[in-house]
Amino acid sequence: MTHEAVQSYYGEVLQSSADLQTNACCTPDAVPAHLKPVLGKLHDEVMARYYGCGLIAPLALEGARILDLGCGAGRDVYALSALVGESGAVVGVDMTPAQLAVARSHQAYHAEVFGHGAPNTAFHQGYIEKLDELPLEPGSFDIIVSNCVLNLATDKAAVLRGAQRLLKPGGEMYFSDVYADRRIPEALARNEVLYGECLSGALYWNDFLTLARGAGFGDPRMVESRLLTIENPELERRVGPIRFLSATYRLFNLAGLEPDCEDYGQAVIYKGTVPHAPHEFVLDDHHVIETGKVFPVCGNTWRMLAETRFAPHFQFIGDFSTHYGIFAGCGGASPFNGLSPTVPATSGGCC
């Protein structure tokens, strides 16, 4: 699918979210209560030209510098601009002039409504596959977000490589997108409606994990997910047995994360100090850390907390001096599992 086809779909065919033919371009979660007042202050035109739902907003954003890939008319940019505060900044990138025209026309309005002395937002027209061609400094962003946009990219590996290049060490890419349970046939990938509806451009989930690791994001972490229901009989007929998943992932820019979860006898204690998370901290779909409780972690999880903006909110126990093997229940399967000294694993071997 070409950039021109996507630009046409989002700049001309769609005039509001009501024009979408499926619910695929939609984040998996409802908007948290603390974000609803922020969305309520956004300009009506910006809200009308938003083609999704939910809001991609991780915690602990005060003072952060954020990049929004595929920002459209700027809804998420402006919401995040309130969350980062006057000391932070949010930059949006989009390839569709019609969308960016709406976004840029409301910068002063949102600075005023959020009480900022000057706009803390900026917008660039360009392709997310070619981030190196934009005036963006390498290693200058704390967080990169995108909301159901990666599936629209013509070169998804280039998007991930470009994002990794722009992130600071310890920064993260936090984004929602659509994934398929198998690779999409070429004939479907050429269908402009299916592509524009975030379906036929979706990555096979395992290919996504491979691309993410290849771009330098070791140990991708899924935060939440839900199966998609297309709810359009004609489009359902076209995609046949292919199933789709909407999922939020976080990818940390931490060099040297291990391929599996390794056990070094470490643990953390969450202090309950991240705003809007007094009782527990959710790192991903299998790390929900209660306040004040000793929580054993693998080496990768330790680093995701100790070497990122989350470090001040945790107490850390242990170090990397002693390795105990695979982290039970989290790492890869050990070949020693289920064996006994009297039952050999195979009939062959080097002895």
Side-chain angles (χ1 to χ4, degrees), residues 70-345:
C71 65
R75 192 206 72 151
D76 287 6
V77 168
Y78 288 125
L80 293 168
S81 77
L83 301 178
V84 302
E86 201 163 8
S87 62
V90 188
V91 178
V93 172
D94 203 274
M95 67 178 178
T96 309
Q99 291 279 77
L100 287 175
V102 174
R104 287 171 173 151
S105 67
H106 299 299
Q107 285 180 273
Y109 169 88
H110 289 99
E112 181 178 357
V113 80
F114 292 130
H116 299 158
N120 61 347
T121 57
F123 296 93
H124 297 291
Q125 183 179 343
Y127 300 120
I128 62 174
E129 301 93 335
K130 299 179 180 180
L131 292 171
D132 58 336
E133 296 181 0
L134 298 175
L136 303 171
E137 288 295 319
S140 63
F141 289 96
D142 300 289
I143 302 162
I144 295 178
V145 300
S146 77
N147 198 340
C148 206
V149 171
L150 184 63
N151 66 86
L152 298 172
T154 56
D155 186 343
K156 296 167 176 60
V159 178
L160 294 170
R161 290 194 302 269
Q164 192 274 339
R165 173 178 170 271
L166 292 174
L167 281 171
K168 298 176 182 179
E172 71 165 320
M173 184 174 181
Y174 186 95
F175 68 108
S176 178
D177 220 281
V178 177
Y179 303 92
D181 69 346
R182 65 198 73 187
R183 295 178 181 129
I184 304 295
E186 183 62 30
L188 286 182
R190 291 195 299 267
N191 184 290
E192 292 188 7
V193 173
L194 287 173
Y195 204 95
E197 292 285 328
C198 305
L199 293 173
S200 65
L203 277 169
Y204 166 47
W205 65 270
N206 211 16
D207 286 345
F208 159 69
L209 296 178
T210 299
L211 291 179
R213 294 182 181 112
F217 294 113
D219 199 359
R221 296 292 179 94
M222 181 186 286
V223 179
E224 54 197 340
S225 64
R226 66 175 175 86
L227 283 172
L228 286 176
T229 55
I230 298 174
E231 298 178 7
N232 181 308
E234 173 58 24
L235 297 185
E236 286 180 344
R237 183 189 64 79
R238 292 187 185 184
V239 301
I242 302 173
R243 294 189 300 164
F244 296 92
L245 184 80
S246 178
T248 298
Y249 272 93
R250 66 191 333 155
L251 309 176
F252 286 99
N253 186 29
L254 293 169
L257 288 176
E258 299 188 89
D260 287 302
C261 294
E262 303 291 346
D263 188 355
Y264 295 91
Q266 298 159 307
V268 299
I269 301 174
Y270 174 49
K271 300 176 183 178
T273 52
V274 172
H276 311 297
H279 305 300
E280 63 184 24
F281 177 84
V282 179
L283 177 67
D284 53 45
D285 62 3
H286 59 293
H287 288 87
V288 179
I289 307 172
E290 287 188 64
T291 299
K293 184 177 181 180
V294 176
F295 191 94
V297 294
C298 70
N300 282 357
T301 299
W302 167 283
R303 294 190 58 201
M304 291 174 185
L305 300 173
E307 299 176 23
T308 67
R309 68 187 189 281
F310 301 123
H313 304 287
F314 286 86
Q315 178 183 342
F316 297 90
I317 302 169
D319 53 33
F320 285 88
S321 60
T322 304
H323 179 232
Y324 298 96
I326 286 289
F327 193 90
C330 187
S334 169
F336 292 87
N337 291 346
L339 298 183
S340 71
T342 59
V343 181

